[in-house]
Amino acid sequence: MDKRLKYIDEIGLKGKRVLIRVDFNVPLDESNKITDDTRIRSVLPTINYALDENAKVILASHLGRPKGKRVESMSLLPVAKRLGRLLEKDVALATDCVGEDVKRLVDRMKPGEVVLLENLRFHPEEEKNDERFGAMLGELADIYINDAFAVAHRAHASNVAITRHVREVGAGFLMKKEMTYFSMALEKPTRPLVAIIGGKKVSDKVGVLSSLCERADKIIIGGGMALTFFKSLGYEVGNSFVENDALDEAKSVIELARDKHMKLYLPVDFVVADKFSADAETKVVTYQEIPKDWMALDIGPATLTLFTEAIQNAKTIIWNGPMGVFEIDAFSRGTFGLVTSVANTYALTIVGGGDTDVAVHRAGEYAKMSYISTGGGAFLEILKGKELPGIAALKDKGIAAAAS
Ligand code: AMP
């Protein structure tokens, strides 16, 4: 049976109670003001579509890590206000996300109205994918739409259990965009497909690297994790960040790449510093010359040239993870330089993960990327070739409905 996702525009919403799982986990400052509302804006097409179809729109999200308790500073109230302004209509914030009061509020809703449920993670059952909690959320809706790609890699009640307690389910437009780009990049990519993987930890990304050895044409490795690779090959890496527990994993990736005839690029030089600080003394050295008491905190200029060269003929580029400690100016040139190089290719460019997203924005190259994924963990799971639980639940429900 076809395991295709059904999307919101294939479902009749008129007059129905439509519960949309969104990711409103926005950053807040000390006075609880939203500092970046990108996550709210990214689901506006789905919300507006449901409103245009005259649905009763019920929104559900988590915010922060309240650990299963009510924490006032993690209330979705600031989100309700910002969303109201963006939609130019009232957004009622429910006192909770389940329970009698919420049911009454939803029962009184008229088509075209919006209710935002209070933080799902005020209940420990949410992260436990509790069936009863999923059923209580499901009771609020006729139709369930998942548009929270960034949490689709988690099996939580609001994206898995709930699907078993609502008549019809589907995915929103943000999810559609994410799945479309990932399918272009991974299922039938225009080749050469080059993957750039950076960041600190090999252990987080060994599954991604192994999977990419099967799919990509070239893999570029930068960031702190490159030092774990060099140490696994027996090089002196000084005081650089190294994951000693992951040396064997790093070696296994190198061996797999060799077996698969994968072109694996590692840095050839580094910016090293005498301490982890903005005012550190720095110099550029080759990978064989990292001094004993120094640490490598960015790729060097020769590496930037090498990596830039390596992506020149790419038709598809996937990038996750910075090339160095880009948060500190002195160690940001590698990451920002590569952002510019990627932006100036003719490739389909898909960037994901919080840090890489920030780097692309800071470098001012946002508009030149084909797509910036809203997922971090979900992005990595997809690169591993795994089906996300939140998406599998929607497809399984579709199959059950077709069979009944
Ligand atoms: P990750 O969460 O594994 O993607 O790692 C992202 C973090 O890695 C960023 O905060 C960077 O500052 C950090 N990072 C990148 N390169 C290095 C490096 N050479 N040494 C230490 N940290 C690094």
Side-chain angles (χ1 to χ4, degrees), residues 157-179:
S158 66
N159 64 350
V160 176
I162 188 174
T163 60
R164 291 188 279 269
H165 303 280
V166 181
R167 205 162 30 86
E168 212 170 343
V169 306
F173 293 124
L174 176 61
M175 199 74 108
K176 187 172 190 174
K177 224 195 244 176
E178 298 274 0
M179 300 319 288

Side-chain angles (χ1 to χ4, degrees), residues 217-258:
D217 298 296
K218 291 180 187 173
I219 301 177
I220 292 174
I221 294 181
M225 72 159 93
L227 282 313
T228 299
F229 276 91
F230 278 114
K231 180 145 185 201
S232 81
L233 293 169
Y235 289 95
E236 168 68 55
V237 295
N239 283 340
S240 303
F241 172 84
V242 166
E243 259 186 302
N244 286 311
D245 294 349
L247 295 176
D248 286 345
E249 287 177 321
K251 244 193 193 150
S252 71
V253 170
I254 292 173
E255 278 158 19
L256 183 64
R258 195 183 301 134

Side-chain angles (χ1 to χ4, degrees), residues 205-217:
K205 295 180 187 166
V206 67
V208 171
L209 292 167
S210 306
S211 163
L212 287 171
C213 280
E214 310 279 346
R215 298 154 180 256
D217 298 296

Side-chain angles (χ1 to χ4, degrees), residues 199-201 204-205 223-224 227 241 296-297 322 324-327 355:
K200 209 165 164 180
K201 288 190 172 172
D204 286 350
K205 295 180 187 166
L227 282 313
F241 172 84
L297 295 178
V325 183
F326 75 103
E327 298 91 337
D355 288 316

Side-chain angles (χ1 to χ4, degrees), residues 120 205 276 306-307:
L120 292 159
K205 295 180 187 166
F276 191 97
L306 172 72
F307 289 179

Side-chain angles (χ1 to χ4, degrees), residues 3 9 17 30 32 48 80 128 140 147 185 207 210 222 236 257 265 268 283 307 309 313 348-349 364 388 391:
K3 275 197 131 196
D9 52 351
R17 299 170 302 158
E30 314 77 55
N32 250 18
N48 277 322
K128 290 183 186 143
L140 303 172
D147 212 20
S210 306
E236 168 68 55
Y265 290 74
V268 291
K283 56 186 177 184
F307 289 179
E309 195 58 40
N313 71 340
L348 175 85
T349 47
L388 309 181
I391 292 177

Side-chain angles (χ1 to χ4, degrees), residues 59 70 93-103 105 115-120 122-123 133 136-137 140:
L59 302 169
R70 194 175 179 99
L93 178 69
T95 50
D96 202 343
C97 58
V98 289
E100 288 309 313
D101 287 352
V102 181
K103 258 204 280 183
L105 179 67
V115 163
L116 172 61
L117 303 181
E118 187 51 286
N119 196 337
L120 292 159
F122 283 175
H123 294 262
F133 187 70
M136 287 163 84
L137 287 169
L140 303 172

